[in-house]
């Protein structure tokens, strides 16, 4: 479905903002790919594709950022990660790596990590992060089990209200809907790997994001 221009949702609607934090290890491969794919897809689905993907400006009230548990502060995105983003239609411009800090976790409304170890590290930082921290693929699995009809209409209350309800619903399902294996909830680290592995990881992340973005915005992936 092609999203009509603006889709009736303001770039900064009432109700504040919703901040998504993507976390991996170095913040130069997995979490930057996930951050920029999320920003790109949000702008695309909400008809706000003119917004700069390389800035922290919110898309439909949603701010997307990333950090690393051993983040390379100020480092550019890994070259293969940049190439993967370009192949998937997103942009790496202006990216700089960050080390995960308490303030990032405190501000985040949803933390999505590459692995279970990253999730454990975020939760161990405190700040009541447990109910809003998931691995990306864990969150995808939980979101698939949520009836979209139970979530607020984004055209009425905005994407922010819908996003908050989605996180609460996913947290309520955790423990009831278990992963088939430990590996099922993880995205492997491509750092130092050849380009085909990077491409596979990028596509894996994009697939995992698809139902999450649909649930967040109420808009399916545009076609054509």
């Amino acid at each position: 479905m092609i999203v009509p221009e603006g889709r009736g949702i303001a770039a900064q609607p009432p109700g504040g903002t919703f901040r998504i934090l993507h976390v991996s290890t170095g913040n130069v491969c997995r979490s930057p790919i996930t951050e920029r794919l999320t920003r790109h897809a949000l702008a695309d689905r909400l008809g706000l594709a003119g917004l700069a993907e390389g800035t922290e400006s919110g898309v439909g009230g949603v701010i997307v950022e990333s950090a690393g548990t051993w983040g390379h502060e100020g480092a550019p995105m890994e070259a293969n990660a940049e190439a993967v983003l370009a192949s998937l239609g997103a942009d790496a411009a202006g990216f700089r790596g960050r080390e995960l800090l308490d303030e990032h976790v405190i501000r985040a409304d949803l933390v999505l990590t590459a692995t279970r170890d990253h999730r454990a590290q975020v939760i161990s930082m405190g700040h009541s992060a447990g109910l809003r921290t998931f691995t990306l693929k864990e969150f995808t699995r939980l979101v698939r089990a949520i009836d979209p009809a139970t979530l607020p209409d984004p055209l009425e209350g905005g994407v922010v209200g819908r996003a908050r309800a989605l996180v609460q619903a996913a947290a309520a399902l955790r423990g009831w809907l278990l992963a088939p294996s430990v590996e099922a909830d993880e995205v492997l680290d491509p750092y130092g790997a050849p380009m085909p592995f990077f491409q596979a990881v990028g596509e894996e992340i994009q697939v995992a994001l698809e139902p999450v973005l649909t649930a967040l915005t109420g808009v399916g992936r545009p076609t054509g």
Side-chain angles (χ1 to χ4, degrees):
M1 174 173 62
I2 300 295
V3 184
E5 183 64 31
R7 201 181 167 269
I9 301 175
Q12 293 290 347
T17 58
F18 183 88
R19 192 177 291 264
I20 300 173
L21 174 65
H22 293 294
V23 175
S24 61
T25 304
N27 193 216
V28 292
C29 297
R30 288 168 291 181
S31 51
I33 290 173
T34 315
E35 172 199 317
R36 292 307 175 90
L37 285 177
T38 302
R39 286 188 187 181
H40 175 78
L42 282 171
D44 200 24
R45 290 171 194 239
L46 298 180
L48 300 168
L51 290 181
E53 295 171 30
T55 70
E56 216 188 54
S57 58
V59 180
V62 181
I63 296 171
V64 187
E65 53 192 356
S66 64
T69 55
W70 290 89
H72 302 303
E73 191 71 33
M77 197 179 304
E78 209 277 347
N80 281 350
E82 251 189 81
V84 166
L85 269 181
S87 74
L88 297 174
D91 187 3
F95 179 83
R96 289 293 179 267
R98 304 191 306 175
E99 182 178 356
L100 180 66
L101 302 176
D102 288 88
E103 66 189 66
H104 301 145
V105 177
I106 291 168
R107 294 189 304 174
D109 297 290
L110 172 62
V111 184
L112 297 176
T113 70
T115 69
R116 295 163 75 246
D117 281 347
H118 296 133
R119 183 185 66 192
Q121 289 180 65
V122 171
I123 293 173
S124 73
M125 295 172 73
H127 315 303
S128 304
L131 291 177
R132 50 195 168 90
T133 303
F134 310 78
T135 76
L136 169 62
K137 292 173 77 174
E138 174 193 19
F139 194 65
T140 299
R141 175 166 47 79
L142 297 172
V143 162
R144 288 183 185 276
I146 297 169
D147 181 355
T150 65
L151 300 173
D153 186 338
L155 288 176
E156 295 180 3
V159 174
V160 170
R162 184 179 176 96
R164 295 190 192 283
L166 182 67
V167 173
Q168 291 175 357
L173 284 175
R174 186 157 50 188
W176 294 93
L177 193 62
L178 301 178
S181 67
V182 170
E183 295 76 15
D185 277 349
E186 309 220 324
V187 176
L188 296 178
D189 190 355
Y191 187 77
M195 186 60 188
F197 189 77
F198 263 89
Q199 191 69 44
V201 167
E203 291 170 0
E204 180 182 6
I205 289 170
Q206 186 177 56
V207 168
L209 283 173
E210 167 63 26
V212 173
L213 291 160
T214 298
L216 276 173
T217 63
V219 181
R221 185 177 183 179
T223 58

